[in-house]
């Protein structure tokens, strides 16, 4: 069953194309940032799929996006320019950051013209963010209705919320299982599961998640209490090779704070009379990307709580090269974990990772964490 | 020596511009001793907002640029600023203005002399991702409080944004303006004066509209102003647009520039070709404009130079941008704080082309650049691929492609507006010289560095 998620992760485009064949009257919409409220598309009977990079060197984005934009934004745009997402009926984003926003702007100029754009507030700490986002989502809903030629009812929205909330609860259940001393799945396996969920019809994903929890994870010991418990956090990250390398060193990644991981699903939509407002509230309240964590630093105590709850010995912070919001948290984040006695290393991700160099840094971290065993 | 085509004359307003700029920086240094509120923040911070107090404001971008000037006169001293920031852990690819500014705080050194001013609080409109986090980092270092106002700009007009969306955005900002005022009163323990705020808002609208009119005057052939001069003139709107003396300055400047147009007084007496640039220039290396002059080339402006503190209003009928009509010109009376807040929000959303360009590139930004090419009768473009500011470099590659598709000679060079380590002057000059050749231009007189 974990293998089924691995299969979807590796063959995400085939999955979407098959879905379209099975649902010939429905549409597939790509979204770039996890702040886009997918529930709106799902309520309209569509399949929302996250657009991620392929981690393969490419030479197609140079004429469209300046080299100092983050490798993720360039890798994402490359997928469109190379035609890998040619099955999309539209592309969408909530305002992500300038880098991914640049990829979106170029994508809509050169790849997919039909677009949906939500002005996601950055300063989610203001009480005016929820009413503003609610208003923008109501308009987005109307735009979708005009496109598909039918109304999206409150009942459609509530159904979508239920399906998505179930998905969030199931993923959260898997993360809770990772609190155990003998962890039932590796961090790499978990990344396959969470990231594959970004591409899947949530009803399919939920069915598979239930089966995986019941029939595969319960009673399983993928790693033992002897393995060093780590947390990964930072920018978008689905770098399987990197995680795999880390876990080869008698270490296990037990939790994360990535938009392809826990940040994506952590909090549910809380029920309210107005489903659009409920959705808006959820996206305002979700665990923060540094892009939206100001003026007060709320992310750091949240990360510390997570590290403690999952009994983490050390942290690997991973940041996409040139990712300004994460870079602007770097000093505060390293100081914070130093003050709280959690050894942390900070690495920069590119489209492909320099495994050899990173291996040395990771080994050094693990040696530091295990020095009690040495002496 | 080649014969001059046009007469030229020094700009009479020049000395006054320098004097006002100096006064503003002096007022910042003396603010605390004079009992004023002293705040820091970015140029696009709706800087009329604190005018309800007796205040001074250190605006971050021009201050970061001022530090980068040192790279020319005293490179070792410059390095001390930027290295202070990098030693503290701020990555080298972050906004160069910000790194210079943080270096100045960490060294406790005001680049104009003395220690770094003791700022009471920081205020920033979050139109640019980096700016929002910049003052959070500064707040971490200094312990001074920080308020960020989420400025969600209008999309470009070509995108057909609905009136409903625009209303939502206006309301979002107005609500936050009231929130900011209450917050500032709490931080300072002082009462906010609505009368001075209303005047500050009206001044902000008028200064930026006047600057747009000055830029429009540069459509004339010969151009009355060159971009290098404009960079020294627009900065007053950047750091002091709500001030009475700044509004008065722009009124006088517009009169003078229009007079130059009427009398064909050129910025460059040879004017053989007209170009636009894109993004901020490398502030420490403005000599590149002098090199262009030796070919008779005048840079008539840039989206950035026109728009950072320019108020531009879209003319739907003619699909172009003109100077924004101020509330005064429209006969709108502003009597209350709420009315002033609405005017300020509407003004920035409608007329602020740079803050919108930092959020949205695509077809709208391309349209704006093409409009400049047409209306300013431009023969070529030089695009600074600015590694120091991802905000202004948003959409640059698509702009370059569009300019080339249109057949406009266009060159690029990589650099950094405020970090000379990423700018290669010899290489840039060689590229410019080749570009001049491709435009069929000959050097009219020898370029002498530093003149």
């Amino acid at each position: 069953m974990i293998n089924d998620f691995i299969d979807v992760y590796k063959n995400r485009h085939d999955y979407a194309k098959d879905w379209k064949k099975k649902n010939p009257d429905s549409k597939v919409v790509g979204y770039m940032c996890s702040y886009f409220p997918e529930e709106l598309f799902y309520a309209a009977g569509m399949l929302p799929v996250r657009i991620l990079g392929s981690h393969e060197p490419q030479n197609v984005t140079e004429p469209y996006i300046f080299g100092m934009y983050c490798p993720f934004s360039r890798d994402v745009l490359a997928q469109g320019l190379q035609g890998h997402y040619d099955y999309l009926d539209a592309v969408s984003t909530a305002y992500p950051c300038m880098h991914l926003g640049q990829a979106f702007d170029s994508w809509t100029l050169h790849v997919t013209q039909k677009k949906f754009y939500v002005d996601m507030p950055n300063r989610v700490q203001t009480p005016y963010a929820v009413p503003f986002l609610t208003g923008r989502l109501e308009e987005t809903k109307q735009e979708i209705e005009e496109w598909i030629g039918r109304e999206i009812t409150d009942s459609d929205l509530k159904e979508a919320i239920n399906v998505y909330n179930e998905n969030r609860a199931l993923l959260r259940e898997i993360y809770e299982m990772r609190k155990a001393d003998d962890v039932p799945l590796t961090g790499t396996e978990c990344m396959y599961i969470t990231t594959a969920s970004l591409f899947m019809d949530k009803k399919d994903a939920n069915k598979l998640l239930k089966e995986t929890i019941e029939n595969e994870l319960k009673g399983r010991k993928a790693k033992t209490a002897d393995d060093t418990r780590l947390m990964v956090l930072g920018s978008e990250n689905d770098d399987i090779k990197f995680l795999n390398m880390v876990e080869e060193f008698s270490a296990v990644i037990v939790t994360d704070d990535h938009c392809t991981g826990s940040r994506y699903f952590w909090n549910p939509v809380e029920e309210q009379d107005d489903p659009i407002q409920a959705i808006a509230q959820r996206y305002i309240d979700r665990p923060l990307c540094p892009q939206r964590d100001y003026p007060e630093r709320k992310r750091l105590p949240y990360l510390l709580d997570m590290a403690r709850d999952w009994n983490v010995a050390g942290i690997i912070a991973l940041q996409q090269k040139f990712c300004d919001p994460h870079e602007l948290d770097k000093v505060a984040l390293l100081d914070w974990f130093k003050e709280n006695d959690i050894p942390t290393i900070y690495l920069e991700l590119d489209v492909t990772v320099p495994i050899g160099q990173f291996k040395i840094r990771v080994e050094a971290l693990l040696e530091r964490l295990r020095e009690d065993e040495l002496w | 020596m080649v014969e001059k085509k046009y007469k030229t004359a020094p700009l009479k307003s020049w000395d006054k511009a320098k004097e006002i700029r100096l006064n503003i920086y002096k007022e910042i240094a003396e603010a605390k001793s004079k009992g004023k509120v002293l705040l820091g923040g970015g140029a696009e911070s709706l800087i009329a907002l604190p005018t309800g107090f007796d205040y001074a404001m250190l605006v971050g971008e021009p201050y970061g640029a001022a530090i980068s000037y040192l790279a020319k006169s005293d490179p070792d001293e410059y390095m001390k600023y930027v290295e202070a920031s990098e030693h503290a852990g701020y990555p080298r690819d972050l906004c160069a203005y910000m790194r210079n500014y943080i270096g100045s705080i960490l060294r406790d050194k005001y680049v104009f002399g003395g220690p770094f001013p003791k700022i009471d609080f920081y205020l920033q409109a979050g139109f640019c991702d980096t700016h929002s986090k910049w003052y959070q980092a500064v707040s971490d270092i200094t312990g001074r409080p920080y308020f960020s106002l989420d400025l969600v700009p209008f999309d470009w007009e070509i995108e057909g944004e609905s009136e409903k969306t625009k209303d939502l955005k206006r309301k979002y900002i107005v609500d936050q303006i009231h929130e900011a005022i209450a917050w500032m009163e709490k931080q300072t323990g002082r009462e906010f004066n609505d009368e001075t705020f209303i005047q500050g808002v009206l001044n902000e609208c008028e200064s930026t509209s006047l600057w747009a009119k000055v830029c429009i005057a540069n459509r004339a052939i010969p151009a009355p102003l060159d971009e290098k001069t404009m960079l020294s003139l627009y900065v007053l709107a950047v750091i002091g647009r709500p001030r009475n003396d700044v509004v008065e300055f722009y009124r006088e400047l517009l009169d003078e520039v229009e007079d130059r147009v009427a009398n064909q007084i050129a910025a460059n007496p040879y004017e053989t070709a007209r170009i636009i640039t894109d993004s901020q220039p490398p502030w420490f290396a403005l000599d590149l404009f002098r090199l262009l002059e030796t070919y008779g080339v005048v840079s008539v402006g840039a989206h950035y130079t026109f728009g950072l503190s320019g108020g531009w209003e879209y003319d739907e009928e003619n699909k172009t941008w003109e100077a924004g009509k101020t509330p005064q010109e429209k006969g709108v009376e502003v009597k209350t704080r709420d009315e002033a807040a609405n005017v300020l929000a509407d003004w920035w959303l409608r007329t602020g082309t740079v803050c919108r360009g930092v959020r949205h590139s695509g077809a709208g930004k391309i349209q704006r650049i093409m409009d400049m090419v047409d209306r300013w009768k431009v023969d070529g473009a030089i695009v600074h691929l600015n590694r120091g500011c991802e905000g202004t470099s948003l959409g640059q590659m698509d702009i370059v492609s569009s300019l080339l598709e249109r057949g406009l000679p266009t060159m690029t060079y990589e650099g950094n507006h405020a970090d000379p380590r990423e700018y290669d002057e010899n290489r840039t000059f060689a590229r410019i010289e080749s570009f001049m050749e491709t435009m069929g231009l000959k050097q009219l007189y020898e370029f002498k560095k530093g003149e």
Side-chain angles (χ1 to χ4, degrees):
Chain A
M1 282 147 281
I2 292 175
N3 284 338
D4 293 322
F5 285 106
I6 295 174
D7 189 48
V8 173
Y9 176 84
K10 289 182 175 169
N11 302 295
R12 63 192 76 165
H13 303 302
D14 292 339
Y15 176 89
K17 286 173 190 169
D18 285 348
W19 186 93
K20 216 169 173 177
K21 266 188 208 159
K22 287 178 204 158
N23 301 275
D25 299 327
S26 298
K27 297 180 191 296
V28 181
V29 183
Y31 67 94
M32 289 195 178
C33 173
S34 63
Y35 271 93
F36 194 95
E38 293 171 64
E39 289 90 336
L40 295 187
F41 290 134
Y42 201 78
M46 300 178 195
L47 175 66
V49 294
R50 176 102 190 251
I51 301 172
L52 297 179
S54 67
H55 298 282
E56 287 163 4
Q58 52 83 19
N59 61 358
V60 296
T61 56
E62 204 71 358
Y64 307 104
I65 190 166
F66 183 24
M68 52 88 76
Y69 280 78
C70 81
F72 175 62
S73 62
R74 283 181 278 133
D75 199 5
V76 161
L77 178 61
Q79 303 313 302
L81 294 169
Q82 289 168 333
H84 298 314
Y85 282 89
D86 58 359
Y87 51 86
L88 293 184
D89 296 291
V91 65
S92 64
T93 197
Y95 176 65
C97 56
M98 290 189 280
H99 294 240
L100 206 48
Q102 162 74 85
F104 180 76
D105 286 344
S106 271
W107 187 300
T108 56
L109 273 180
H110 306 291
V111 186
T112 315
Q113 272 73 48
K114 183 65 193 170
K115 64 182 176 185
F116 294 92
Y117 181 88
V118 170
D119 294 286
M120 177 69 206
N122 272 347
R123 187 179 158 235
V124 293
Q125 294 176 14
T126 172
Y128 303 107
V130 171
F132 174 73
L133 183 59
T134 303
R136 289 296 290 118
L137 295 188
E138 279 164 0
E139 289 176 280
T140 306
K141 174 176 159 282
Q142 279 173 17
E143 286 170 36
I144 297 170
E145 287 171 335
E146 282 164 22
W147 188 40
I148 60 173
R150 76 166 177 85
E151 189 192 353
I152 301 169
T153 64
D154 279 4
S155 162
D156 294 332
L157 285 166
K158 284 176 180 167
E159 168 65 13
I161 289 169
N162 287 340
V163 172
Y164 270 71
N165 275 352
E166 184 180 19
N167 183 256
R168 290 167 181 139
L170 290 164
L171 288 169
R172 184 78 184 250
E173 190 177 337
I174 289 177
Y175 273 58
E176 292 296 324
M177 294 170 94
R178 299 166 82 194
K179 284 180 175 170
D181 288 342
D182 297 328
V183 188
L185 77 170
T186 65
T188 311
E189 288 171 328
C190 193
M191 181 170 279
Y192 274 124
I193 292 172
T194 51
T195 312
S197 302
L198 304 172
F199 313 126
M200 295 177 76
D201 184 322
K202 291 293 184 278
K203 279 185 185 158
D204 291 349
N206 292 349
K207 187 165 173 276
L208 198 52
L209 283 167
K210 280 182 209 160
E211 286 170 15
T212 305
I213 292 167
E214 281 306 313
N215 304 330
E216 191 166 9
L217 296 182
K218 284 193 175 160
R220 185 174 187 247
K221 288 181 186 179
K223 289 279 187 173
T224 70
D226 294 336
D227 293 298
T228 306
R229 299 173 69 87
L230 298 174
M231 173 176 175
V232 286
L233 59 87
S235 312
E236 183 281 339
N237 175 27
D238 64 321
D239 211 309
I240 297 290
K241 276 186 192 164
F242 174 79
L243 263 67
N244 209 28
M245 177 272 285
V246 172
E247 294 191 315
E248 281 173 357
F249 291 111
S250 298
V252 58
I253 292 156
V254 292
T255 191
D256 71 78
D257 180 65
H258 290 298
C259 63
T260 37
S262 70
R263 281 212 297 275
Y264 171 64
F265 65 82
W266 210 244
N267 64 326
V269 176
E270 304 285 353
E271 198 178 333
Q272 296 185 27
D273 290 341
D274 175 359
I276 293 284
Q277 187 173 308
I279 291 169
Q281 186 78 53
R282 186 264 166 192
Y283 284 85
I284 294 293
D285 291 345
R286 59 165 270 187
L288 291 158
C289 170
Q291 163 78 353
R292 296 186 160 85
D293 185 30
Y294 63 84
E296 191 188 334
R297 289 197 183 276
K298 294 191 169 180
R299 181 170 170 253
L300 299 181
Y302 164 81
L303 293 175
L304 182 63
D305 286 348
M306 182 183 250
R308 285 179 174 156
D309 289 350
W310 268 258
N311 192 22
V312 157
I315 290 173
I316 302 174
L318 295 149
Q319 167 228 306
Q320 291 283 338
K321 192 174 177 182
F322 306 138
C323 172
D324 287 27
H326 280 274
E327 286 185 338
L328 282 154
D329 268 10
K330 182 181 176 185
V331 173
L333 184 132
L334 290 174
D335 286 350
W336 175 255
F337 286 118
K338 193 174 180 185
E339 282 163 22
N340 287 285
D341 293 324
I342 303 185
T344 302
I345 57 168
Y346 200 95
L347 304 174
E348 264 190 1
L349 292 172
D350 210 324
V351 172
T352 56
V353 294
I355 284 286
Q357 290 172 31
F358 282 4
K359 201 180 249 187
I360 294 166
R361 299 282 310 275
V362 171
E363 274 182 303
L365 171 71
L366 291 169
E367 275 180 25
R368 190 176 155 201
L369 296 174
R370 293 168 186 157
E371 60 191 1
D372 287 347
E373 294 167 28
L374 289 172
W375 308 107
Chain B
M1 193 69 181
V2 183
E3 200 178 327
K4 292 177 179 174
K5 282 165 71 179
Y6 306 104
K7 57 190 167 189
T8 188
L11 198 68
K12 291 175 200 153
S13 309
W14 183 256
D15 287 342
K16 191 167 183 188
K18 281 173 74 176
E19 185 191 321
I20 294 173
R21 179 176 174 271
L22 196 68
N23 284 344
I24 290 174
Y25 282 114
K26 212 170 140 191
E27 283 175 23
I28 292 163
E30 295 170 352
K32 298 304 288 179
S33 64
K34 293 193 172 169
K36 291 184 179 183
V37 171
L38 180 59
L39 69 147
E44 305 281 271
S45 297
L46 312 179
I47 65 175
L49 243 178
T51 53
F53 301 107
D54 184 15
Y55 82 110
M57 179 173 185
L58 177 62
V59 176
E61 301 94 321
Y63 184 72
I67 292 172
S68 80
Y69 283 129
L70 280 175
K72 201 173 165 185
S73 57
D74 190 349
D76 291 342
E77 178 66 9
Y78 164 74
M79 285 307 295
K80 288 177 188 165
Y81 284 92
V82 74
E83 282 178 352
S85 160
E86 287 166 12
H87 287 168
Y90 295 95
R92 188 172 157 169
D93 55 274
L94 283 171
C95 168
Y97 286 150
M98 188 199 87
R99 286 183 288 119
N100 292 348
Y101 186 99
I102 285 179
S104 182
I105 293 174
L106 293 170
R107 294 185 71 206
D108 193 20
K109 197 159 183 180
Y110 192 45
V111 74
F112 302 108
F116 191 84
K118 301 289 176 210
I119 303 279
D120 292 312
F121 62 85
Y122 290 94
L123 177 74
Q124 170 64 41
F127 73 103
C128 153
D129 302 345
T130 299
H131 276 73
S132 309
K133 300 288 285 185
W134 164 347
Y135 293 99
Q136 183 183 40
V138 165
S139 176
D140 287 345
I141 296 165
T142 61
R144 303 312 302 155
Y146 167 42
F147 187 94
S148 174
L149 188 149
D150 202 6
L151 201 162
V152 181
F154 284 173
D155 206 337
W156 293 97
E157 288 79 2
I158 201 172
E159 300 293 343
E161 195 166 48
S162 73
E163 285 307 312
K164 200 175 164 191
T165 303
K166 289 178 181 173
D167 286 344
L168 262 175
K169 290 182 177 179
R170 279 190 205 98
K171 185 175 182 325
Y172 185 41
I173 292 173
V174 169
D175 285 340
Q176 291 180 84
I177 287 175
H178 288 297
E179 188 188 1
I181 291 170
W183 183 88
M184 289 189 293
E185 283 187 321
K186 195 175 163 195
Q187 297 305 322
T188 59
R190 301 184 191 198
E191 198 178 336
F192 191 79
N193 182 325
D194 288 341
E195 257 179 54
T196 54
F197 173 56
I198 291 166
Q199 190 56 52
V201 169
L202 294 175
N203 284 353
E204 179 151 359
C205 299
E206 190 172 351
S207 296
T208 50
S209 176
L210 283 165
W211 177 248
K213 285 173 184 163
V214 168
C215 297
I216 285 168
N218 229 27
R219 288 174 182 162
I221 295 177
L225 296 172
D226 66 289
E227 196 187 353
K228 185 172 184 294
T229 304
M230 294 171 86
L231 293 168
S232 297
L233 301 173
Y234 92 112
V235 76
L236 297 184
V238 175
I239 61 180
R241 56 190 175 269
R243 295 166 60 106
N244 292 329
D245 56 352
V246 170
V247 176
E248 190 51 41
F249 169 78
Y250 283 117
R251 286 183 192 141
E252 287 171 21
L253 176 67
L254 181 61
D255 286 346
E256 186 185 355
V257 173
E258 286 179 342
D259 182 65
R260 286 169 77 95
V261 172
N263 291 290
Q264 289 224 309
I265 298 172
N268 185 331
Y270 302 101
E271 192 172 312
T272 53
R274 299 156 68 87
I275 62 154
I276 51 169
T277 67
D278 193 54
S279 190
Q280 303 96 317
W283 290 106
F284 45 85
L286 298 178
D287 273 358
L288 69 88
F289 289 105
R290 292 279 180 246
L291 177 64
L292 292 168
E293 282 173 14
T294 66
Y295 289 84
V297 171
V298 59
S299 177
V300 294
H303 165 60
Y304 171 82
T305 314
F306 285 4
L308 185 68
S309 282
W312 296 88
E313 195 157 12
Y314 193 64
D315 174 351
E316 187 63 51
E317 198 180 328
N318 297 304
K319 311 286 179 219
T320 187
W321 284 262
E322 298 291 352
K325 275 199 174 162
T326 62
Q328 301 93 309
E329 286 170 325
K330 286 181 177 171
V332 175
E333 278 195 80
V334 185
K335 289 180 179 167
T336 66
R337 180 189 295 184
D338 188 54
E339 285 169 358
N342 273 282
V343 165
L344 187 60
D346 179 65
W347 185 258
W348 269 100
L349 289 170
R350 237 171 357 94
T351 73
T353 53
V354 164
C355 61
R356 147 184 342 181
V358 165
R359 187 64 64 95
H360 302 285
S361 53
K365 195 167 176 185
I366 291 169
Q367 185 198 3
R368 171 63 173 153
I369 302 291
M370 293 305 168
D371 184 62
M372 288 173 61
V373 170
D374 290 333
R375 309 271 285 181
W376 275 261
K377 306 166 195 80
V378 165
D379 306 299
I382 296 182
V383 176
H384 176 203
L385 299 174
N386 184 355
R387 299 189 74 85
C389 177
E390 80 252 89
T392 57
S393 54
L394 193 82
Q396 276 190 319
M397 300 309 285
D398 278 320
I399 287 167
V400 169
S401 304
S402 301
L403 289 168
L404 290 171
E405 271 169 32
R406 187 192 156 121
L408 193 84
T410 302
M411 73 156 266
T412 63
Y413 67 99
E414 256 189 48
N416 189 309
H417 61 291
D419 187 339
R421 294 170 299 175
E422 293 195 303
Y423 173 72
D424 182 336
E425 185 170 75
N426 289 336
R427 193 175 167 185
T428 305
F429 275 31
R431 285 178 80 98
I432 290 175
E433 282 160 359
S434 302
F435 183 58
M436 295 292 102
E437 275 181 38
T438 62
M439 286 180 74
L441 299 169
K442 288 198 166 48
Q443 197 163 30
L444 305 175
Y445 57 91
E446 194 186 346
F447 168 71
K448 287 181 185 162
K449 199 167 164 47
E451 280 193 353

